[in-house]
């Protein structure tokens, strides 16, 4: 266990649904990240939060909406997703903008 | 040119073999280099972390960084079937943003 937990581990949703992914880190880190991992592609950085402030939005469509209420919790709110958004969504945390520690991911399928 | 290039493989070796995994990069500002191991349907796990050039050893794993050639390597000695996974290189210049390779899928056959 890396100290980063994600729920749910699996999610199937229709294109009109609204759902949220949750990430929690128990490591005392100040930075948290959302990544998208699709088959045969490098990890794609989506969002970065540092001390609860968003410091990076990597041109992510507005149907993905992050929320960071405190430095231990990170959410990704999903609405009106497309089938091509099906992927593994990974959360990570970092102590000082160097090595990152990942959670187990949420496997998302959009029907 | 992509910032980080990594041969996706797949790479298949017999148990006990020495495995060499590599990445090249184009950004000379990168100073922090990492290797992650990712088992199927799991999140990436940090395996090795090095700063600047040089070697770092941890058990059967050795990470090498050659900044002059913009080339990093991970060596696995006495490979085991449990080493079968996808290995991702990652690097940064010290900012929050890590740049990842595509990953190399390794299978170690008993």
């Amino acid at each position: 266990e890396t100290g980063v937990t994600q729920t749910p581990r699996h999610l199937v949703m229709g294109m009109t649904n609204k759902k949220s992914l949750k990430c929690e880190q128990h490591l005392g880190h100040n930075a948290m990240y959302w990544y998208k991992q699709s088959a045969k592609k490098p990890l794609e950085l989506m969002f970065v939060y540092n001390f609860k402030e968003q410091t990076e939005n990597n041109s992510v469509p507005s149907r993905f909406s992050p929320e960071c209420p405190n430095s231990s919790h990170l959410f990704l709110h999903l609405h009106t997703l497309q089938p091509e958004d099906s992927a593994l969504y990974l959360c990570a945390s970092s102590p000082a903008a160097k090595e990152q520690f990942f959670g187990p991911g949420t496997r998302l399928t959009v029907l | 040119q992509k910032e980080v290039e990594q041969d996706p493989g797949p790479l298949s070796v017999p148990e006990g073999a020495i495995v060499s995994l590599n990445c090249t990069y184009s950004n000379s500002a990168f100073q922090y280099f990492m290797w992650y191991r990712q088992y199927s349907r799991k999140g990436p796990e940090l395996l090795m972390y090095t700063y600047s050039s040089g070697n770092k050893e941890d058990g059967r794993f050795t990470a090498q960084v050659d900044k002059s050639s913009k080339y990093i390597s991970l060596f696995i000695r006495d490979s085991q079937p449990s080493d079968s996974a996808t290995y991702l290189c990652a690097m940064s210049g010290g900012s929050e943003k890590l740049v990842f390779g595509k990953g190399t899928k390794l299978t170690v056959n008993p």
Side-chain angles (χ1 to χ4, degrees):
Chain A
E1 293 295 326
T2 62
V4 181
T5 58
Q6 288 187 245
T7 55
R9 294 294 307 276
H10 301 274
L11 178 63
V12 179
M13 60 187 289
M15 292 167 61
T16 58
N17 291 158
K18 288 185 181 180
K19 296 286 184 184
S20 295
L21 309 184
K22 179 182 176 182
C23 175
E24 185 173 358
Q25 58 102 355
H26 311 274
L27 302 168
H29 294 167
N30 50 271
M32 297 186 76
Y33 310 76
W34 279 117
Y35 286 89
K36 176 184 178 183
Q37 188 175 39
S38 305
K40 301 188 189 299
K41 287 187 178 180
L43 277 167
E44 299 174 53
L45 179 65
M46 300 176 72
F47 301 103
V48 181
Y49 278 82
N50 206 342
F51 291 105
K52 303 188 301 177
E53 298 297 320
Q54 188 180 122
T55 56
E56 179 103 16
N57 177 336
N58 210 23
S59 304
V60 180
S62 60
R63 57 186 184 270
F64 296 91
S65 174
E67 179 190 358
C68 188
N70 56 61
S71 56
S72 298
H73 294 86
L74 186 64
F75 295 90
L76 188 63
H77 304 299
L78 316 171
H79 63 97
T80 58
L81 293 192
Q82 306 298 310
E84 60 265 29
D85 295 323
S86 299
L88 182 67
Y89 287 84
L90 291 159
C91 174
S93 71
S94 174
K98 297 186 182 66
E99 69 271 38
Q100 295 177 15
F101 297 85
F102 286 84
T106 295
R107 175 72 58 184
L108 173 67
T109 303
V110 182
L111 301 176
Chain B
Q1 183 183 11
K2 293 179 183 172
E3 272 196 298
V4 179
E5 300 268 11
Q6 183 176 11
D7 185 341
L11 181 62
S12 182
V13 301
E15 185 175 353
I18 296 175
V19 176
S20 172
L21 304 167
N22 312 293
C23 287
T24 58
Y25 62 95
S26 58
N27 189 342
S28 57
F30 288 150
Q31 300 180 73
Y32 301 93
F33 304 91
M34 282 139 269
W35 285 95
Y36 287 85
R37 177 175 63 194
Q38 187 173 21
Y39 292 114
S40 181
R41 302 194 175 277
K42 297 281 180 76
E45 169 195 7
L46 181 64
L47 204 56
M48 299 288 279
Y49 169 68
T50 53
Y51 169 70
S52 195
S53 283
N55 293 1
K56 184 173 183 178
E57 189 173 320
D58 184 0
R60 296 183 294 111
F61 298 89
T62 300
Q64 285 187 352
V65 175
D66 182 348
K67 289 189 71 180
S68 62
S69 302
K70 297 191 179 69
Y71 188 87
I72 69 170
S73 301
L74 178 71
F75 297 95
I76 307 174
R77 290 184 299 281
D78 187 25
S79 55
Q80 302 295 310
S82 58
D83 295 326
S84 298
T86 296
Y87 290 81
L88 303 158
C89 63
M91 47 199 81
S92 82
S95 73
E96 301 156 331
K97 189 175 175 181
L98 280 184
V99 181
F100 285 85
K102 283 188 177 181
T104 300
K105 185 172 182 180
L106 171 68
T107 300
V108 180
N109 301 298

